[in-house]
Amino acid sequence: MVQINKSEKIYEDLKMRILKGEFDENQILPIEKSLELEYNVSRNTIRKAIRQLNSEGLVYSKLGSANVVLQRVAVEDLLIDSGNMERGSKIQTKSNETKVLSLDLIIVDATLAAKSMFQIGTTCYHVIRLRLINGKPVMIDDSFFKSEVVPRLTKKIAQESIYRYIQSVTNHKIIGSRLVDRVILATDLDKNYLALKQENCIGLTQNWAYLDDGQIFEYTEIHFAPEQYVRTRFIGQKVGYIQ
Amino acid sequence: MVQINKSEKIYEDLKMRILKGEFDENQILPIEKSLELEYNVSRNTIRKAIRQLNSEGLVYSKLGSANVVLQRVAVEDLLIDSGNMERGSKIQTKSNETKVLSLDLIIVDATLAAKSMFQIGTTCYHVIRLRLINGKPVMIDDSFFKSEVVPRLTKKIAQESIYRYIQSVTNHKIIGSRLVDRVILATDLDKNYLALKQENCIGLTQNWAYLDDGQIFEYTEIHFAPEQYVRTRFIGQKVGYIQ
DNA sequence: ACTGATTTGTTCGTATGTATC
DNA sequence: AGATACATACGAACAAATCAG
């Protein structure tokens, strides 16, 4: 069991209680004062937990009134919650396998530099991997890793976990990714590997991954078969903002 | 000028300073103590502002070390930042137009109930709207609104702003949306209106919109032409989480 | 490699503001 | 109009990770 702090524990507990339907009757949480007493913490700690519930779209804090529990959507349980990848996605629980299609050491040219944000002349590994879940091909990772960060990358390492490898050979942590999602025409590679049906398009996710020194060390284009491409998120409306 | 609070002002200011490149040399912010003095506020207020920068992927707070400014990605300035829709998207600044293709009053059946989360038997408006930006068709909104929330909806209202109408006739605020993005085969409607080229797919965003009492009042399927469909987000890595 | 100083992280208590009931 | 409940802000203490000598 991981040791987490009070606000995190309270967040997890309240989330569980919400999803179990404990507050379905009135659709509001108990007032903050009573949560203080119940969990025996300060109001700030309660508020920190509720802030997390707000950002996930489980609760709306209504000034002067209450912390309102939002109506749930049926599909959401089935989906990988992209707004919550930090906690590990549900995909992890399934059997998955990686097939390395190619691995080359290359020098960054102008075209790649513009996309990847790597400097021209940088040496990096170009890795193409096919990802299978329960034996079914679901995505292709077309990746570039700064060789400085993953020295002596091999197919074997790429097949296991490059991230684990990085964290074992560097002092740096991987702290997050900036993602851009698009829909594009399928490439020949996609058609060969992704078992597309009628569709001639795929979901593309561009991924710039960061180390804790603030630098991008990886640029990946993830190609998804359409039915595999699903994203969920919650967006709070700014007061006064009108569509 | 909107009146915003201290932490929000500091957040905006730091963001502007980051984007102007003020911290590019060391790629870190001044320490919190000196920001306290500079802005003449408490440390908590500084930390609240920095927390916002963290969630947007502009800064990574490194325990025991510094608030690291993350390397920027070139494309991000060009895009609608979906993680920041609360502040209004850039799309707003362009000239846009809405064409109402149809408007009907219907009763929710089992199929629609399952998707929309409306109860079977609810009366609602079914509205299909074509959205144009700078004269170019970019998306189709296939929407269902609870008639209880938008009584006497007309084509004229739908062409202007349904949201503005709602906020004028109800006591309730619109507080946010849960979104699910997918890639699907284009329908005939899409092919007719979205000026697709070779592509036979579109980007689909399902949108459940909430009122401040926690209830869903709108379900919309937004159909995007592929080149119009772009999403950006930042996902922080949970410590110990390995791909 | 160790120690002390520095810096961010969490929590507490309190006061005051603002919207709602 | 008064009470209630969430929002913002301050100051302080201590923990945990990092950094500098």
Side-chain angles (χ1 to χ4, degrees):
Chain A
M1 169 75 190
V2 225
Q3 183 56 31
I4 51 176
N5 53 38
K6 293 187 191 182
S7 65
E8 189 84 3
K9 267 189 204 125
I10 294 167
Y11 155 76
E12 297 284 0
D13 191 58
L14 285 175
K15 181 173 178 175
M16 183 265 290
R17 292 169 70 182
I18 290 170
L19 296 179
K20 279 204 321 191
E22 181 175 336
F23 310 112
D24 279 0
E25 196 181 344
N26 298 319
Q27 289 285 123
I28 59 171
L29 295 183
I31 66 166
E32 293 174 358
K33 182 71 200 166
S34 79
L35 290 173
E36 268 183 64
L37 299 173
E38 181 179 346
Y39 287 104
N40 193 32
V41 295
S42 74
R43 179 154 172 246
N44 280 337
T45 303
I46 294 293
R47 288 184 57 73
K48 195 170 177 184
I50 292 176
R51 213 182 297 133
Q52 252 179 290
L53 296 170
N54 264 275
S55 74
E56 257 183 68
L58 288 168
V59 163
Y60 171 68
S61 297
K62 196 171 168 184
L63 175 56
S65 172
N67 287 300
V68 179
V69 177
L70 299 190
Q71 185 183 355
R72 266 149 289 139
V73 169
V75 292
E76 66 190 304
D77 297 329
L78 308 173
L79 305 173
I80 301 160
D81 186 348
S82 64
N84 206 17
M85 194 185 280
E86 313 102 89
R87 280 159 232 301
S89 61
K90 294 204 176 111
I91 223 170
Q92 291 298 105
T93 60
K94 301 182 187 170
S95 93
N96 48 28
E97 193 194 337
T98 298
K99 213 157 148 179
V100 180
L101 301 183
S102 74
L103 187 153
D104 304 289
L105 195 59
I106 63 164
I107 307 283
V108 174
D109 64 12
T111 314
L112 178 56
K115 282 200 298 188
S116 67
M117 306 302 294
F118 296 159
Q119 268 200 313
I120 295 177
T122 311
T123 54
C124 66
Y125 284 100
H126 180 199
V127 187
I128 302 181
R129 288 168 293 177
L130 179 65
R131 308 286 201 164
L132 303 106
I133 296 183
N134 297 329
K136 203 182 159 198
V138 297
M139 57 191 193
I140 297 171
D141 282 4
D142 188 351
S143 306
F144 300 88
F145 294 90
K146 279 188 182 167
S147 64
E148 176 194 327
V149 179
V150 278
R152 286 183 300 282
L153 182 62
T154 65
K155 282 201 176 190
K156 187 174 183 329
I157 294 169
Q159 196 180 323
E160 306 291 321
S161 168
I162 294 180
Y163 275 28
R164 221 186 310 270
Y165 175 62
I166 290 170
Q167 314 226 25
S168 71
V169 297
T170 350
N171 290 323
H172 290 301
K173 269 189 253 182
I174 295 159
I175 56 118
S177 289
R178 189 176 311 283
L179 304 174
V180 175
D181 296 310
R182 308 171 188 270
V183 177
I184 63 163
L185 276 173
T187 64
D188 287 338
L189 200 65
D190 300 330
K191 287 174 189 160
N192 281 339
Y193 286 105
L194 288 183
L196 304 178
K197 280 172 268 182
Q198 301 167 260
E199 299 93 343
N200 68 7
C201 294
I202 55 143
L204 175 75
T205 298
Q206 295 175 286
N207 173 1
W208 292 264
Y210 288 86
L211 294 180
D212 65 357
D213 60 359
Q215 301 306 303
I216 295 167
F217 73 94
E218 172 194 1
Y219 171 68
T220 291
E221 295 186 348
I222 311 169
H223 298 233
F224 289 90
E227 67 268 29
Q228 302 296 337
Y229 176 89
V230 179
R231 303 277 179 272
T232 77
R233 55 208 161 99
F234 183 83
I235 301 210
Q237 208 86 22
K238 165 118 172 162
V239 184
Y241 171 74
I242 303 277
Q243 187 199 27
Chain B
M1 170 74 190
V2 222
Q3 182 57 29
I4 51 176
N5 55 37
K6 291 187 189 181
S7 68
E8 190 83 2
K9 269 189 203 125
I10 293 166
Y11 156 75
E12 297 284 1
D13 192 58
L14 285 174
K15 181 174 177 175
M16 182 265 291
R17 292 169 71 182
I18 289 169
L19 296 179
K20 280 204 320 191
E22 182 175 337
F23 310 113
D24 279 0
E25 195 181 344
N26 299 319
Q27 289 285 123
I28 58 172
L29 295 183
I31 66 166
E32 293 173 0
K33 182 71 200 162
S34 79
L35 290 174
E36 269 183 63
L37 299 173
E38 181 179 345
Y39 288 105
N40 193 31
V41 295
S42 73
R43 181 161 166 238
N44 279 336
T45 303
I46 294 293
R47 288 183 58 73
K48 195 170 177 183
I50 292 176
R51 213 180 299 132
Q52 250 179 291
L53 296 170
N54 264 274
S55 73
E56 255 183 72
L58 287 168
V59 163
Y60 171 69
S61 296
K62 197 172 170 183
L63 173 56
S65 173
N67 288 299
V68 179
V69 177
L70 299 190
Q71 184 182 353
R72 266 148 290 139
V73 169
V75 290
E76 67 189 302
D77 296 331
L78 308 174
L79 304 174
I80 301 160
D81 186 348
S82 64
N84 206 17
M85 195 186 278
E86 313 102 272
R87 279 158 234 299
S89 60
K90 292 201 177 115
I91 223 170
Q92 291 298 106
T93 61
K94 301 183 187 171
S95 94
N96 48 28
E97 194 194 336
T98 298
K99 214 160 150 178
V100 180
L101 302 183
S102 74
L103 187 153
D104 303 289
L105 194 60
I106 64 165
I107 308 281
V108 174
D109 64 11
T111 315
L112 179 56
K115 281 200 298 187
S116 66
M117 306 301 294
F118 297 159
Q119 269 202 311
I120 296 177
T122 312
T123 54
C124 65
Y125 284 100
H126 181 198
V127 188
I128 302 181
R129 288 168 294 177
L130 179 65
R131 309 286 201 163
L132 304 105
I133 296 184
N134 296 331
K136 205 183 158 196
V138 298
M139 57 191 192
I140 296 171
D141 282 4
D142 188 351
S143 306
F144 300 87
F145 294 90
K146 279 188 183 168
S147 62
E148 175 194 327
V149 179
V150 278
R152 288 183 298 282
L153 183 61
T154 64
K155 282 201 176 189
K156 187 174 182 330
I157 293 168
Q159 197 180 322
E160 306 291 321
S161 169
I162 295 181
Y163 275 28
R164 220 186 309 269
Y165 174 63
I166 290 170
Q167 315 227 26
S168 70
V169 297
T170 350
N171 291 324
H172 290 302
K173 268 188 251 181
I174 296 158
I175 56 119
S177 289
R178 189 176 310 283
L179 305 173
V180 174
D181 296 310
R182 309 171 187 269
V183 177
I184 62 163
L185 276 172
T187 63
D188 288 339
L189 200 66
D190 300 331
K191 287 174 189 160
N192 281 340
Y193 287 105
L194 289 183
L196 304 178
K197 280 172 269 181
Q198 300 168 261
E199 299 94 344
N200 67 7
C201 293
I202 55 141
L204 175 76
T205 297
Q206 295 174 285
N207 173 1
W208 292 265
Y210 288 86
L211 294 180
D212 65 357
D213 60 358
Q215 302 305 304
I216 295 168
F217 73 96
E218 172 193 1
Y219 171 68
T220 292
E221 295 186 349
I222 312 170
H223 298 232
F224 289 90
E227 67 269 27
Q228 301 297 337
Y229 176 89
V230 180
R231 303 278 178 270
T232 77
R233 56 210 159 99
F234 183 84
I235 302 211
Q237 208 87 22
K238 166 118 171 161
V239 184
Y241 171 74
I242 301 280
Q243 188 200 28

